[in-house]
Amino acid sequence: MQKKLKPVTYGLILLLIFSFLASGILITGFNPQIYKHAYNNNKEIAEFSGYDENTYLKEIDRLKVYLFNSRENDRLLSAVYSEDEVAHMVDVYYLFRLLRIINAICVLLSCTIIIRYRKNLAAIDISRRWYLFILIPLFLILPVFINFDAFWIKFHKVLFRNDLWLMDPDVSLMINLLPIEVFYSISVGTIILYLVAIVIICLIFRYYARRENGI
C-alpha cells in the first residue's frame, strides 16, 4: 500500500523544477558547441564582425567570464561595445547572478528535504506526481517551440526595465555576435536537459519508494 504523500512533496517538485531549468540554462549557455554551430551556420557573424571562428569563440568566452566577475571589467567591454551594449550587459550580469543565487538556494532546500526524508522517501515520492514537472513549466516550454521570436520579446519585456535590449542589427556588434538562433539553441538544449533530469530523478525516487514499500 502506498503511503500518503507529504505536502512538502509539492514544494520539492517546485524547487526541482526551478533548479533543473536554471541548471540547464547555465550548462547549455556555457556550452561552446552552441556558439561553434552558430558561427558556422550564420555567415552574418563573420561578415559583420570580421572575426574568424577562433576569435569569435574567444570573444564569447570573454562575455561568459564577465558574467562570473564582479563587473570590474566593464571598461574592457566598453573598448569593444557601445555604451548601450555595455549597460545591457550590466543588466544581464545582475540577472545572471540572481539566477545563480536562487538556484543555489533551491538546490540547498531540495537536498535538505531529501536528507530529512531519506529514510522515508515513499512519503515524498515525486514520481507519483511526475506530470507536474511537465504541466507547471508548460507556459515556458510551449512558446519556445510555437513562436520563439514572440517568446524572446516577452521574456525581455518582463525581465528588463529598459529598452537597451532593442539593439539595431545594422550597427550592434553584440546582437550580431549573439543572434537569436543562439538563444533558441540554448532554450531547446535547456528543455532537453530538463526532461532528462526529471526522468532520472523520478526513476530514482520510484526505485527507492518501491523498495521501501517492499514492491
Side-chain angles (χ1 to χ4, degrees):
M1 181 178 178
Q2 289 184 331
K3 297 179 180 179
K4 184 177 180 180
L5 290 176
K6 297 282 187 180
V8 72
T9 305
Y10 302 96
L12 178 59
I13 289 173
L14 289 174
L15 291 170
L16 290 174
I17 287 174
F18 185 90
S19 181
F20 288 156
L21 286 173
S23 297
I25 292 172
L26 297 175
I27 293 171
T28 309
F30 284 80
N31 182 355
Q33 296 303 319
I34 293 286
Y35 304 95
K36 284 185 179 181
H37 182 269
Y39 183 87
N40 292 318
N41 289 273
N42 193 324
K43 294 181 180 179
E44 286 77 10
I45 294 177
E47 291 174 356
F48 187 93
S49 65
Y51 294 165
D52 59 25
E53 181 179 329
N54 188 52
T55 303
Y56 170 70
L57 293 176
K58 284 183 177 179
E59 182 59 27
I60 295 301
D61 286 342
R62 198 163 72 97
L63 293 175
K64 293 176 187 177
V65 170
Y66 173 84
L67 294 178
F68 279 99
N69 285 352
S70 58
R71 292 182 45 229
E72 293 179 357
N73 58 351
D74 280 356
R75 63 186 180 280
L76 298 179
L77 289 184
S78 63
V80 177
Y81 302 102
S82 70
E83 183 178 342
D84 285 348
E85 288 172 325
V86 174
H88 180 60
M89 281 302 295
V90 172
D91 292 339
V92 173
Y93 164 80
Y94 282 119
L95 184 63
F96 183 76
R97 186 174 68 173
L98 179 62
L99 177 70
R100 287 187 293 147
I101 292 173
I102 297 177
N103 187 36
I105 293 173
C106 287
V107 170
L108 178 61
L109 291 176
S110 297
C111 291
T112 300
I113 292 172
I114 293 172
I115 292 172
R116 165 67 176 79
Y117 288 93
R118 66 186 182 279
K119 296 181 179 180
N120 189 21
L121 287 180
I124 56 168
D125 182 9
I126 57 175
S127 69
R128 288 165 57 187
R129 297 293 183 268
W130 64 267
Y131 52 85
L132 294 179
F133 285 101
I134 305 298
L135 292 178
I136 293 175
L138 202 59
F139 73 99
L140 288 175
I141 294 175
L142 282 181
V144 169
F145 296 102
I146 294 174
N147 188 337
F148 185 75
D149 287 348
F151 165 78
W152 196 236
I153 291 172
K154 189 66 176 179
F155 170 85
H156 281 77
K157 287 183 176 179
V158 170
L159 294 180
F160 296 101
R161 299 179 181 179
N162 52 54
D163 59 0
L164 294 173
W165 56 275
L166 290 171
M167 302 176 191
D168 185 351
D170 292 331
V171 299
S172 172
L173 174 61
M174 183 170 290
I175 201 171
N176 279 278
L177 294 182
L178 296 168
I180 195 169
E181 293 83 2
V182 168
F183 299 102
Y184 177 75
S185 296
I186 292 173
S187 299
V188 172
T190 296
I191 292 170
I192 292 173
L193 287 179
Y194 171 78
L195 293 175
V196 170
I198 63 174
V199 168
I200 292 173
I201 195 70
C202 283
L203 287 176
I204 291 173
F205 266 86
R206 182 172 177 79
Y207 170 77
Y208 284 103
R210 286 171 65 87
R211 194 172 74 169
E212 285 180 12
N213 290 324
I215 300 176

